[in-house]
Amino acid sequence: MLETDKVFAGSVPENYDRYMVPLIFDPYATDLAKRAASFSPQAVLETAAGTGVVTRALAPRLSPDASYVVTDLNQPMLDYAASRQAPDSRMVWRQADALALPFDDAYFDLVCCQFGAMFFPDRLSAYREARRVLKPGGRFLLSVWDRIEENMFAGDVTNALARMFPNDPPRFLARTPHGYHDKQLIRSDLERAGFYEVVIETRAEESRASSPRIPAVAYCQGTLLRNEIAARDATKLEAATDYAESVIAARHGSGPVAAKIQAHVIVAVA
């Protein structure tokens, strides 16, 4: 992962929430929230909350006397998430680095993290921090994307941009969001951090959009792929989006489109 793979700023948070969330994150957020609520946690920490898709799904499922601390490394993402959430006395919003959590030992019943671990520069440190703040027997619930070949729109866009920029292909999607998919490695990392009873479920869903324009804009302008395109030629963001759209249309049709997405959902016990 490059340092620029962590900088969600400018128009990225709004485009991310507007396009990426309904395209690929919503079904997994609903599933993760149901799993989290099934543990009946009283003290919950969410790390790498992004624009709050899990937060919005989980908060209504928690008990009235639960506490819910929502964190993200990127203040613009956290601000956007807070702006989407109704006032709730159970919730605290706090900028925090998952690798150095500002919380006491053994404080939370549950730590959840949807599609954030791929961005951690030191996953072992992040996992050790999650375990440190969990009570004994508490659960760490997280998800990561499977390899890019199992996530069709992401692969389509990556292949399109490789043809557009053949001398220096933008590889953000393959490198970071889809770069941490080896189940054996994930299990090993969590066990090295002190977790046990690690259960990994591979879950396929379907990504749907009203037109091929939506996934093209979502990936090219609603993720950090936008920064990679601009770094190669700042004048070609729209052209890159248009070309990605044409590639998706050629493969999936020019009307409503649908394609496979796939992720790993993991539960580990502290």
Side-chain angles (χ1 to χ4, degrees):
M1 186 182 71
L2 304 181
E3 190 64 26
T4 53
D5 289 359
K6 299 184 291 181
V7 185
F8 287 83
S11 63
V12 170
E14 184 175 356
N15 283 336
Y16 179 97
D17 199 64
R18 180 180 179 184
Y19 296 110
M20 293 299 293
V21 164
L23 186 70
I24 61 173
F25 292 122
D26 268 338
Y28 290 103
T30 299
D31 174 72
L32 203 76
K34 289 178 180 177
R35 292 173 191 252
S38 73
F39 300 130
S40 301
Q42 288 300 106
V44 179
L45 171 65
E46 184 178 353
T47 59
T51 58
V53 59
V54 169
T55 316
R56 294 190 290 274
L58 178 54
R61 291 178 165 88
L62 296 177
S63 67
D65 57 345
S67 65
Y68 189 3
V69 181
V70 185
T71 69
D72 196 274
L73 178 65
N74 294 277
Q75 191 66 48
M77 297 286 270
L78 195 65
D79 290 343
Y80 192 90
S83 76
R84 293 287 314 276
Q85 190 77 33
D88 189 329
S89 61
R90 301 171 303 167
M91 299 178 66
V92 174
W93 302 86
R94 183 162 180 181
Q95 190 276 338
D97 185 347
L99 277 67
L101 293 169
F103 307 111
D104 292 339
D105 295 357
Y107 184 83
F108 296 98
D109 303 304
L110 174 73
V111 175
C112 62
C113 179
Q114 174 167 275
F115 301 124
M118 308 90 66
F119 293 89
F120 296 156
D122 183 343
R123 280 181 281 269
L124 191 58
S125 293
Y127 294 165
R128 284 173 174 157
E129 278 291 272
R131 185 180 182 279
R132 178 185 66 79
V133 302
L134 278 166
K135 297 173 184 177
R139 292 173 174 88
F140 186 25
L141 175 60
L142 67 155
S143 58
V144 298
W145 291 114
D146 201 352
R147 62 195 188 118
I148 199 167
E149 291 82 3
E150 301 292 346
N151 290 269
M152 295 180 68
F153 288 146
D156 293 338
V157 171
T158 297
N159 292 334
L161 296 181
R163 291 194 288 272
M164 188 170 182
F165 300 98
N167 295 327
D168 188 14
R171 296 288 296 167
F172 165 72
L173 295 176
R175 180 179 64 247
T176 300
H178 297 281
Y180 184 59
H181 54 77
D182 185 315
K183 290 190 285 186
Q184 184 175 345
L185 174 61
I186 295 166
R187 184 183 303 278
S188 173
D189 286 347
L190 287 164
E191 289 175 345
R192 287 173 62 203
F195 287 98
Y196 66 100
E197 292 184 15
V198 178
V199 177
I200 304 175
E201 177 186 334
T202 300
R203 185 179 180 90
E205 295 280 358
E206 192 168 53
S207 179
R208 294 178 174 272
S210 59
S211 75
R213 182 70 180 174
I214 299 298
V217 172
Y219 284 105
C220 292
Q221 301 188 28
T223 75
L224 299 186
L225 186 59
R226 179 190 186 111
N227 299 343
E228 286 203 328
I229 295 168
R232 284 149 182 78
D233 189 333
T235 69
K236 288 189 175 179
L237 179 61
E238 285 302 322
T241 306
D242 291 345
Y243 185 56
E245 177 185 2
S246 71
V247 169
I248 293 169
R251 183 174 185 183
H252 302 281
S254 57
V257 292
K260 178 186 178 183
I261 49 176
Q262 187 161 291
H264 304 312
V265 183
I266 306 115
V267 182
V269 179

